[in-house]
Amino acid sequence: MTDLSGKHIVLGLSGGIACYKAADFCRALIKAGATVQVVMTEAAGQFITPVTMQALSNRPVFTSQWDARDAAGVANSMAHINLTREADAIVIAPCSADFIAKLAHGAADDLLSLMCLARPLGTVPLLLAPAMNREMWAHPATQRNLAQVQADGATVFGVGKGFQACGETGDGRMLEPQELLEDLVAFFQPKLLAGHHVLVTAGPTYEAIDPVRGITNLSSGKMGFAIARAAHEAGAQVTLVAGPVSLPTPRGVTRLDVKSAQNMLAALAEPAQAATVFIACAAVADWRPTHAADQKIKKDGSGQTPQLQFTENPDILATVAQSPRAKSGALYCVGFAAESQDLLANAQAKRLRKGVPLLVGNIGPATFGQDDNALLLVDANGATELARAPKLVLARLLIAAVAERMRARA
Ligand code: CTP
């Protein structure tokens, strides 16, 4: 199973230089398991040929309402109706300022706009990836039209910021193909945590010995980042407090980078006041050197090794779980347990020790740095195994399990 398997996407291209990105986006959709039917305006054909899009989508491309074929090449004069009837979504990428204006007015003078107007409103969502010069984007007419198409039910993806093909710099670039894909995949996920604010910790912490050395662990942060992404996909506002890892931030997630356990605890203080769910996935170092040296510790040639002393770090999860908001039920806390053996017994004991309703056990050495994992969900009612799967798949299941338990408590 891939993220879009079974989904049929009608990919519409309107005229703009970002058409070159649409080729890559089409490939990304197909790699993610979707079938793709491309429809292009005449203006889009000035930037990229239908032959390119046909080769990438492996289907004939439609450009005219007077084209009398259907997708199988059979005579049919109702392309504007038939092309959308099996679609799970129409995605217009790039969506030009002119095309947004047409949508806002219900204009239907070419196949693509005709198709958008004739789509079944209740079952075929319309998603737009705007692409234009920054002045066009900022123009009140464009913003008015965007507000109108959203009021009419369309979903508008954001735009990128930066250098534009026209030589200017600002808002209005089309999102990159992988960003669009992530937003589209998120669009299809059930909104189980709409209205919630999820706070997630991820990655290792780093405890300094001196300015160039420190103690850390093998946590890659992948599980925590997958949970943050899954929570965002489920409609939540998400804050991710990340130890030192070099992973990209999931789309739509607010990220706070920290180093040490003490930094992590401090960074959580404010978001924990608004969060409704806290998921402590970070592999927090249990101890830190009591005194981090100001200067690099040098060998003095005597063969003597430095004498390090350690202080126990604050238990972040237990601290948050003891806060008044958590105790009153306003903040649902989920812990992780990285074990090397006796997963069930250790996870059950840790759940009680940390004072959390749900604890997620995993075998640390079998998962640190990997793209997949296996989880054991332990709560007051017993344990549920989530079999080995990619971390994003497990993260979505975990978010569903959290949502279900929160519903049951309400
Ligand atoms: N945790 C935390 N602060 C710490 C240590 C752990 O918030 N100082 C959290 C982790 O994020 C995780 C849970 O507590 O959600 C369990 O972490 P784990 O490393 O498995 O257990 P420890 O509490 O460190 O206990 P032990 O080392 O004895 O297994």
Side-chain angles (χ1 to χ4, degrees):
M1 282 287 281
T2 43
D3 279 337
L4 294 179
S5 56
K7 296 276 187 261
H8 181 61
I9 306 296
V10 173
L11 174 61
L13 278 64
S14 60
I17 184 57
C19 277
Y20 81 92
K21 293 189 193 174
D24 230 2
F25 181 48
C26 180
R27 266 175 67 85
L29 290 173
I30 296 214
K31 267 176 94 173
T35 51
V36 180
Q37 174 62 58
V38 176
V39 177
M40 295 169 60
T41 63
E42 202 185 326
Q46 297 289 329
F47 293 92
I48 189 168
T49 71
V51 177
T52 301
M53 298 307 293
Q54 176 165 329
L56 292 171
S57 64
N58 208 18
R59 283 172 176 246
V61 169
F62 285 77
T63 56
S64 162
Q65 70 269 47
W66 312 119
D67 190 334
R69 300 164 303 157
D70 67 9
V74 178
N76 184 329
S77 57
M78 291 289 166
H80 65 289
I81 306 286
N82 298 334
L83 289 176
T84 63
R85 288 304 180 260
E86 302 299 314
D88 291 289
I90 302 176
V91 183
I92 313 289
C95 190
S96 66
D98 180 57
F99 199 76
I100 294 168
K102 286 172 82 165
L103 290 172
H105 288 92
D109 61 351
D110 69 347
L111 177 59
L112 191 57
S113 54
L114 194 55
M115 212 183 64
C116 291
L117 196 66
R119 80 186 199 279
L121 261 185
T123 53
V124 181
L126 176 63
L127 299 105
L128 312 177
M132 65 199 73
N133 162 271
R134 67 189 173 100
E135 299 289 4
M136 294 167 78
W137 173 253
H139 197 285
T142 303
Q143 293 301 319
R144 191 168 61 235
N145 290 334
L146 278 167
Q148 185 60 56
V149 295
Q150 284 174 292
D152 292 344
T155 296
V156 179
F157 293 136
V159 288
K161 197 184 182 66
F163 182 70
Q164 300 199 304
C166 52
E168 298 179 1
T169 301
D171 289 345
R173 283 162 52 125
M174 189 169 87
L175 294 178
E176 297 305 316
Q178 285 305 319
E179 295 175 321
L180 284 178
L181 180 68
E182 200 171 319
D183 285 359
L184 183 61
V185 167
F187 175 81
F188 285 120
Q189 292 298 319
K191 304 300 167 212
L192 300 172
L193 289 181
H196 282 278
H197 181 170
V198 178
L199 182 57
V200 183
T201 65
T205 62
Y206 176 91
E207 312 297 333
I209 294 172
D210 67 18
V212 298
R213 304 185 183 89
I215 294 171
T216 185
N217 59 61
L218 291 174
S219 167
S220 63
K222 287 178 182 172
M223 191 69 227
F225 275 58
I227 290 169
R229 175 174 170 179
H232 171 68
E233 288 178 345
Q237 181 190 336
V238 182
T239 304
L240 171 63
V241 179
V245 293
S246 55
L247 296 173
T249 309
R251 297 218 11 99
V253 166
T254 302
R255 174 176 178 170
L256 305 173
D257 283 323
V258 297
K259 270 191 164 173
S260 67
Q262 288 173 299
N263 296 157
M264 187 172 271
L265 183 60
L268 288 168
E270 199 186 311
Q273 292 307 314
T276 53
V277 181
F278 174 53
I279 304 180
C281 190
V284 182
D286 289 318
W287 306 280
R288 64 176 182 274
T290 305
H291 302 290
D294 289 337
Q295 305 297 335
K296 184 182 174 194
I297 302 171
K298 295 290 211 183
K299 293 192 290 287
D300 62 9
S302 69
Q304 285 265 334
T305 54
Q307 300 297 304
L308 293 179
Q309 280 196 331
F310 291 94
T311 300
E312 192 169 314
N313 268 327
D315 189 318
I316 296 171
L317 175 60
T319 307
V320 175
Q322 290 306 310
S323 68
R325 290 193 70 242
K327 290 196 132 181
S328 72
L331 176 62
Y332 187 87
C333 292
V334 181
F336 264 70
E339 305 296 342
S340 59
Q341 58 188 350
D342 298 333
L343 189 54
L344 179 60
N346 278 321
Q348 279 171 331
K350 205 167 272 182
R351 186 181 85 82
L352 297 175
R353 186 150 47 84
K354 303 273 180 177
V356 293
L358 178 62
L359 194 112
V360 184
N362 60 171
I363 298 291
T367 184
F368 278 2
Q370 312 275 324
D371 287 325
D372 57 8
N373 196 359
L375 302 179
L376 186 69
L377 309 192
V378 177
D379 67 8
N381 297 320
T384 314
E385 271 182 49
L386 300 182
R388 187 158 277 279
K391 287 181 174 174
L392 183 56
V393 171
L394 292 174
R396 289 179 183 142
L397 293 172
L398 174 61
I399 290 297
V402 168
E404 189 187 309
R405 282 163 177 77
M406 288 176 70
R407 256 199 320 276
R409 270 168 39 138

